[in-house]
Amino acid sequence: MSHDQAYLAAEKKIQQALQSGATELHLRGMKLTELPESIGQLTQLTQLNLSNNQLTTLPDSLGQLTQLTSLDLSKNQLTVLPDSLEKLTGLISLELSDNKLTPFPIQVLYLKQLKTLNINGNNLKEIPSGFSDLKR
Protein backbone atom coordinates (compact mmCIF):
# COMPACT_ATOMS: atom_id res chain seq x y z
CA MET A 1 0.00 0.00 0.00
CA SER A 2 1.47 3.33 -0.97
CA HIS A 3 1.28 6.26 1.39
CA ASP A 4 1.20 9.96 0.70
CA GLN A 5 3.94 12.44 1.58
CA ALA A 6 2.25 13.51 4.82
CA TYR A 7 2.12 9.91 6.06
CA LEU A 8 5.77 9.33 5.16
CA ALA A 9 6.79 12.58 6.88
CA ALA A 10 4.87 11.53 10.02
CA GLU A 11 6.52 8.09 9.91
CA LYS A 12 9.92 9.80 9.77
CA LYS A 13 9.10 12.02 12.77
CA ILE A 14 7.89 8.96 14.70
CA GLN A 15 11.16 7.13 13.99
CA GLN A 16 13.20 10.19 15.05
CA ALA A 17 11.21 10.45 18.28
CA LEU A 18 11.74 6.73 18.91
CA GLN A 19 15.50 7.03 18.42
CA SER A 20 15.84 10.16 20.56
CA GLY A 21 13.50 9.00 23.34
CA ALA A 22 11.39 12.15 22.95
CA THR A 23 8.52 12.63 25.40
CA GLU A 24 6.63 15.06 23.15
CA LEU A 25 5.59 14.69 19.53
CA HIS A 26 3.90 17.35 17.44
CA LEU A 27 2.33 16.23 14.17
CA ARG A 28 -0.13 19.13 13.91
CA GLY A 29 -1.03 20.69 10.61
CA MET A 30 0.61 17.99 8.47
CA LYS A 31 -2.55 17.22 6.43
CA LEU A 32 -2.52 13.65 7.68
CA THR A 33 -5.44 11.48 6.61
CA GLU A 34 -4.02 8.41 8.35
CA LEU A 35 -1.78 8.00 11.38
CA PRO A 36 0.96 5.34 11.13
CA GLU A 37 0.47 2.29 13.38
CA SER A 38 4.08 2.79 14.46
CA ILE A 39 2.86 5.61 16.73
CA GLY A 40 2.26 2.84 19.27
CA GLN A 41 6.03 2.27 19.61
CA LEU A 42 6.45 5.66 21.32
CA THR A 43 5.56 4.37 24.76
CA GLN A 44 7.64 7.10 26.43
CA LEU A 45 5.46 9.95 25.07
CA THR A 46 3.71 12.17 27.59
CA GLN A 47 2.38 14.73 25.07
CA LEU A 48 1.01 14.09 21.58
CA ASN A 49 -0.41 16.80 19.33
CA LEU A 50 -2.31 15.61 16.25
CA SER A 51 -4.42 18.74 15.78
CA ASN A 52 -5.22 20.44 12.48
CA ASN A 53 -5.06 17.32 10.33
CA GLN A 54 -7.68 15.39 8.36
CA LEU A 55 -7.74 12.21 10.41
CA THR A 56 -10.99 10.25 10.20
CA THR A 57 -9.83 7.31 12.35
CA LEU A 58 -7.01 6.50 14.74
CA PRO A 59 -5.01 3.28 14.98
CA ASP A 60 -5.62 0.94 17.92
CA SER A 61 -1.90 1.18 18.64
CA LEU A 62 -2.61 4.60 20.18
CA GLY A 63 -3.70 2.68 23.28
CA GLN A 64 -0.09 1.61 23.86
CA LEU A 65 0.88 5.20 24.77
CA THR A 66 0.04 4.68 28.43
CA GLN A 67 2.41 7.45 29.61
CA LEU A 68 0.41 10.16 27.79
CA THR A 69 -0.86 12.97 29.96
CA SER A 70 -1.90 15.29 27.11
CA LEU A 71 -3.52 14.35 23.79
CA ASP A 72 -4.70 16.95 21.27
CA LEU A 73 -6.96 15.60 18.52
CA SER A 74 -8.74 18.89 17.77
CA LYS A 75 -9.61 20.05 14.27
CA ASN A 76 -9.70 16.68 12.54
CA GLN A 77 -12.51 14.67 10.94
CA LEU A 78 -12.89 12.03 13.64
CA THR A 79 -16.32 10.42 13.90
CA VAL A 80 -15.42 7.84 16.56
CA LEU A 81 -12.45 7.05 18.80
CA PRO A 82 -10.75 3.65 19.06
CA ASP A 83 -11.67 1.49 22.05
CA SER A 84 -7.98 1.39 22.92
CA LEU A 85 -8.21 5.03 24.03
CA GLU A 86 -9.60 3.83 27.37
CA LYS A 87 -6.14 2.41 28.15
CA LEU A 88 -4.72 5.94 28.38
CA THR A 89 -5.61 6.13 32.05
CA GLY A 90 -2.93 8.74 32.82
CA LEU A 91 -4.46 11.35 30.52
CA ILE A 92 -5.00 14.68 32.24
CA SER A 93 -5.93 16.72 29.16
CA LEU A 94 -7.90 15.53 26.12
CA GLU A 95 -8.73 17.95 23.32
CA LEU A 96 -11.45 16.68 20.95
CA SER A 97 -12.94 19.98 19.74
CA ASP A 98 -13.93 20.56 16.12
CA ASN A 99 -14.27 16.98 14.95
CA LYS A 100 -17.30 15.09 13.68
CA LEU A 101 -17.97 12.96 16.75
CA THR A 102 -21.64 11.99 16.94
CA PRO A 103 -21.81 9.43 19.69
CA PHE A 104 -20.19 10.67 22.88
CA PRO A 105 -16.76 8.98 23.12
CA ILE A 106 -17.60 6.54 25.91
CA GLN A 107 -13.90 5.73 26.32
CA VAL A 108 -13.58 9.07 28.15
CA LEU A 109 -15.45 7.57 31.11
CA TYR A 110 -12.43 5.30 31.81
CA LEU A 111 -9.99 8.22 32.04
CA LYS A 112 -10.14 8.77 35.79
CA GLN A 113 -7.22 11.25 35.90
CA LEU A 114 -8.77 13.53 33.26
CA LYS A 115 -9.03 17.14 34.37
CA THR A 116 -9.56 18.89 31.02
CA LEU A 117 -11.87 17.68 28.25
CA ASN A 118 -12.88 19.85 25.32
CA ILE A 119 -15.61 18.41 23.08
CA ASN A 120 -16.91 21.69 21.60
CA GLY A 121 -17.71 21.80 17.91
CA ASN A 122 -18.88 18.20 17.50
CA ASN A 123 -22.26 16.74 16.58
CA LEU A 124 -22.92 15.12 19.95
CA LYS A 125 -26.56 14.21 20.47
CA GLU A 126 -26.37 13.39 24.18
CA ILE A 127 -23.95 13.04 27.07
CA PRO A 128 -24.09 9.64 28.85
CA SER A 129 -25.22 9.51 32.46
CA GLY A 130 -21.86 8.08 33.60
CA PHE A 131 -20.19 11.34 32.61
CA SER A 132 -21.38 12.99 35.83
CA ASP A 133 -19.46 10.32 37.80
CA LEU A 134 -16.11 11.76 36.73
CA LYS A 135 -14.73 13.40 39.83
CA ARG A 136 -12.11 15.68 38.34
Side-chain angles (χ1 to χ4, degrees):
M1 179 175 163
S2 95
H3 294 289
D4 63 15
Q5 289 300 103
Y7 183 96
L8 296 174
E11 184 68 53
K12 185 176 181 180
K13 283 189 169 197
I14 290 168
Q15 291 309 312
Q16 289 170 341
L18 188 59
Q19 290 171 356
S20 70
T23 57
E24 296 181 20
L25 181 62
H26 301 278
L27 299 176
R28 69 178 172 265
M30 293 184 65
K31 300 181 180 168
L32 288 169
T33 56
E34 181 183 4
L35 187 63
E37 278 282 340
S38 60
I39 194 76
Q41 296 174 353
L42 299 176
T43 55
Q44 77 282 3
L45 282 185
T46 59
Q47 295 181 31
L48 178 58
N49 187 331
L50 298 169
S51 66
N52 291 297
N53 281 294
Q54 296 150 13
L55 298 169
T56 56
T57 61
L58 296 168
D60 278 337
S61 63
L62 196 66
Q64 296 168 354
L65 307 182
T66 56
Q67 300 301 309
L68 276 184
T69 58
S70 174
L71 178 57
D72 190 343
L73 298 168
S74 64
K75 298 181 181 171
N76 276 287
Q77 306 292 313
L78 298 169
T79 55
V80 295
L81 298 177
D83 289 341
S84 64
L85 190 82
E86 68 188 42
K87 296 177 185 171
L88 305 181
T89 55
L91 269 185
I92 294 170
S93 173
L94 179 57
E95 179 67 55
L96 294 171
S97 64
D98 300 313
N99 275 286
K100 296 182 182 295
L101 297 170
T102 45
F104 182 86
I106 202 79
Q107 301 88 333
V108 169
L109 301 179
Y110 294 93
L111 307 177
K112 303 299 184 192
Q113 301 302 313
L114 202 61
K115 292 183 181 177
T116 305
L117 172 65
N118 188 344
I119 52 176
N120 289 330
N122 282 285
N123 301 318
L124 299 175
K125 303 284 187 260
E126 60 184 65
I127 305 293
S129 58
F131 186 72
S132 61
D133 294 339
L134 294 176
K135 303 291 184 239
R136 297 178 187 258

